[in-house]
Amino acid sequence: MGGEPVRVLVTGAAGRMGHEVVRAVSAEADMTVVAAVDVAAVGQDIGGITVTGDLSAALSQTRPEVMVDFTVPEAALPNIRAALAARVIPLVGTTGLGPADMEEVRRLCADHQTPALIAANFAIGAVLLMRFAAEASRYFPDVEIIEMHHEKKLDAPSGTAVRTAELIADAREAGAAKRGDAPGAFERFPGARGGAAAGEIRVHSVRLPGYIASEEVIFGGPGQRLSLRHDSIERGSSFMPGVLLAIRRARQLDGLVVGLEHLL
Ligand code: NAP
């Protein structure tokens, strides 16, 4: 992105992930945090920058090139709209956006001739897990996903689990999986079998202190089982290299890009 440091606006800057983004970007020589936006902690200092609650003022006054968003889905979509209208590239880690939201972002990218990235997981290990899961599903079409996160996570199932299910559904042969449970099977407690993502893949969500973000994809076949598992055990070192990569590659994006794998 030229010789000047990339100008980065962070939304959700006072949150768990946003705080890490401010810290990580501030430590790099080729990028700089020009604005920290959050509805919480307005007026407070985060890593040498004062948090503001006014995104549109921050966009027009600080002239960022990219906006890194780790907020909540209800906030992420309006934030993306505002960024694209200002021709600022949104790099979005917030999970929970649905297919209709994605379609709107795709259209807005075209309207404003500005690209965007939405990545359910910025950890390289999770991106590899999704790739390996898609590959394995061609040989093991029967699969369930267990995702485990910290107790403060708002959405369930996780964006990574939903994306993993989508990639598996796209990769495995249509109709190859055994559909549904045994005849006569029932749930003693509602939800005991988890929810179905991407049409038919069961996803089970665990929320407990002691986790950051983990996912296990279990494939069952005749006489054998295959488990793929990824654990993020620390936010800064597991997610930030992917965020920094996205900031450095932002200008090379074309339209809406979904998934960090397209930048690797
Ligand atoms: P968090 O600690 O709750 O942080 C979210 C922050 O955004 C909070 O400070 C929240 O303020 C703030 N916020 C809410 N509405 C806002 C708005 N309109 N403008 C600006 N800020 C706003 O959550 P987190 O653990 O950092 O997670 C954030 C998101 O990232 C979640 O969707 C999570 O699933 C996702 N995530 C993604 C990855 C990835 O690799 N892609 C990794 C981890 C997490 P209040 O607390 O006042 O609402």
Side-chain angles (χ1 to χ4, degrees):
M1 278 191 163
E4 292 296 307
V6 184
R7 300 173 65 78
V8 181
L9 178 152
V10 182
T11 37
R16 285 174 289 268
M17 290 294 289
H19 211 135
E20 291 292 342
V21 175
V22 171
R23 200 194 319 259
V25 170
S26 303
E28 300 298 308
D30 60 341
M31 56 187 74
T32 181
V33 179
V34 295
V37 181
D38 203 301
V39 291
V42 172
Q44 284 180 29
D45 183 280
I46 292 185
I49 189 146
T50 304
V51 176
T52 170
D54 189 343
L55 175 60
S56 36
L59 282 167
S60 60
Q61 286 164 14
T62 64
R63 294 174 296 101
E65 293 164 83
V66 303
M67 175 188 80
V68 179
D69 185 285
F70 284 96
T71 57
V72 293
E74 309 78 63
L77 194 57
N79 291 350
I80 295 168
R81 287 188 193 118
L84 287 172
R87 299 206 163 195
V88 172
I89 303 170
L91 306 171
V92 181
T94 307
T95 55
L97 295 174
D101 303 325
M102 298 284 191
E103 222 23 70
E104 179 183 343
V105 176
R106 198 179 300 284
R107 192 170 40 73
L108 289 174
C109 285
D111 290 350
H112 297 292
Q113 296 184 336
T114 304
L117 171 74
I118 299 179
N121 206 310
F122 278 98
I124 176 78
V127 173
L128 290 174
L129 167 59
M130 288 187 255
R131 181 184 296 178
F132 298 155
E135 172 76 8
S137 69
R138 293 166 53 207
Y139 307 95
F140 291 90
D142 295 299
V143 56
E144 298 201 12
I145 299 170
I146 307 174
E147 55 93 343
M148 294 139 271
H149 279 80
H150 59 89
E151 78 286 9
K152 296 201 169 68
K153 182 169 176 60
L154 295 179
D155 56 327
S158 72
T160 307
V162 174
R163 183 80 185 129
T164 307
E166 287 169 355
L167 291 170
I168 289 173
D170 287 347
R172 70 182 177 184
E173 208 176 299
K178 293 184 181 57
R179 283 161 204 279
D181 292 335
F186 64 96
E187 288 182 321
R188 199 176 302 282
F189 305 106
R193 288 283 294 118
E200 54 195 32
I201 296 167
R202 295 272 183 192
V203 179
H204 312 263
S205 298
V206 176
R207 296 289 175 267
L208 284 173
Y211 284 108
I212 291 204
S214 294
E215 176 169 281
E216 187 161 343
V217 185
I218 307 171
F219 299 91
Q224 57 183 321
R225 255 190 335 263
L226 171 64
S227 299
L228 300 174
R229 181 172 173 124
H230 173 258
D231 299 279
S232 277
I233 51 178
E234 205 266 320
R235 282 185 185 86
S237 45
S238 70
F239 298 119
M240 290 310 121
V243 173
L244 298 179
L245 174 78
I247 292 170
R248 293 192 173 108
R249 299 273 178 84
R251 276 284 162 80
Q252 292 153 29
L253 299 172
D254 186 15
L256 171 62
V257 174
V258 179
L260 187 72
E261 61 272 24
H262 302 289
L263 277 66
L264 298 176

